[in-house]
Amino acid sequence: MRMHTGHHGSEAEEALQDINKKTGRNMPQAVATAVVLIVLILACLLVRIDAFVVLIVVFMILALWELRVDFAAANLRFPLILMVLSSSITLLATYYSDRHILAVAVCIAVSLPLIVIAASLDFAPGARLSAAASKKTDPSAAAAVKPAQEHGSRLDDVAVSIFTVLYIPLLASCIVLPLTFNDHPVAHAVIVVFLPAISDTGGLFAGAWLGKHKLSPRISPKKSVEGLLGSILFSIAGAYAIFAGTYSNLWVTRWWVPIIMGTIVGIVGTFGDLCASMLKRDIGIKDMGHLLKGHGGVMDRVDSILLCAPFLAALLWATGL
């Protein structure tokens, strides 16, 4: 009996290892972390929308910290404290201002020159460079980064700082904007945050079990055409589920919206993952961070959400949902 039980146990362990290899993740850790994140987000939405906005700010601050360390691996730096302050002010002003889009425009317009000036100043990277160097996992990638470290310039820091402003506070403000119109803040939050996650899950499993045709082997060897189709189908199904629970009286006139929404999320989310993979490959790191067990860093989880947010915000506004 013991031998029989041990045999089944070894089979289960081998099956789990095979799943981890196909998905490129520690799936038990990934599932546990996902459950915690889902509970945290839903709790904030149920308590108060303001709590959800604060949660977005916290996640964006963590993402900025990760990017600061990641860029330091290539001797690229941006003014972290000023970036955190400007990002927090931008996101809070987007929600609490009476003119939300104008608040985004003004905050970004003011932040950019201030951060460019700060990035132009000479400052020492401190211990963050050594911390970032320890994250390199690919010797060839590290070797490719080394020349950039030797010939880095303030202009490089300015370029990275501008990129970070456009990537974090500007795109993150598009997560906040849907909370401010058409009186469906909870549904909009679920769409913007969870739909890319559903798409990612669909792509993960479709790619692991059916993936045969590589989508972009040079950038991300695990991405496949089948995974992309799985992402689109899962996100369309998720969009219909959210639509049915929130806009049940609009089926006749808006039945086509979930199809467009799911297709956009599937394609843009996959593109966001590829962009993040390309960035990590250029820097010479495997994950953006290690804050989320089984998922890598915060940026590894929010990259597709950030890229999808402006498209979803525009679609929700244009369709009156």
Side-chain angles (χ1 to χ4, degrees), residues 158-291:
V158 169
V160 164
S161 299
I162 293 173
F163 166 79
T164 305
V165 171
L166 300 179
Y167 191 31
I168 301 295
L170 179 59
L171 292 182
S173 65
C174 294
I175 302 175
V176 178
L177 278 174
L179 308 177
T180 64
F181 59 76
N182 295 345
D183 299 323
H184 287 291
V186 175
H188 289 178
V190 170
I191 288 171
V192 174
V193 173
F194 287 124
L195 208 55
I198 293 172
S199 174
D200 183 54
T201 302
L204 184 68
F205 285 105
W209 297 111
L210 303 173
K212 294 182 180 179
H213 302 86
K214 299 299 182 182
L215 186 63
S216 182
R218 188 178 65 85
I219 298 176
S220 182
K222 292 185 181 296
K223 294 290 182 185
S224 65
V225 175
E226 292 81 3
L228 173 59
L229 295 177
S231 294
I232 295 174
L233 292 176
F234 266 62
S235 56
I236 289 175
Y240 269 114
I242 298 170
F243 197 89
T246 308
Y247 310 103
S248 56
N249 59 327
L250 296 177
W251 278 109
V252 176
T253 58
R254 299 288 195 280
W255 60 268
W256 47 271
V257 174
I259 297 176
I260 296 178
M261 187 179 293
T263 303
I264 289 175
V265 169
I267 295 174
V268 175
T270 301
F271 177 75
D273 289 339
L274 289 174
C275 289
S277 296
M278 188 164 54
L279 179 62
K280 288 185 285 187
R281 184 178 293 273
D282 287 342
I283 294 175
I285 58 177
K286 181 181 179 182
D287 295 314
M288 287 292 190
H290 304 283
L291 294 176

Side-chain angles (χ1 to χ4, degrees), residues 52-114:
F52 177 68
V53 174
V54 172
L55 184 65
I56 295 173
V57 173
V58 170
F59 267 82
M60 291 307 106
I61 291 174
L62 294 175
L64 287 169
W65 172 262
E66 287 184 349
L67 276 180
R68 175 70 175 87
V69 177
D70 295 333
F71 283 135
N75 201 32
L76 299 171
R77 298 164 297 204
F78 60 79
L80 178 63
I81 295 177
L82 183 57
M83 194 74 75
V84 167
L85 289 174
S86 64
S87 298
S88 301
I89 292 171
T90 298
L91 296 179
L92 293 174
T94 300
Y95 182 71
Y96 288 106
S97 173
D98 292 332
R99 304 183 70 176
H100 311 287
I101 297 178
L102 179 62
V104 176
V106 170
C107 288
I108 297 298
V110 172
S111 297
L112 273 173
L114 292 177

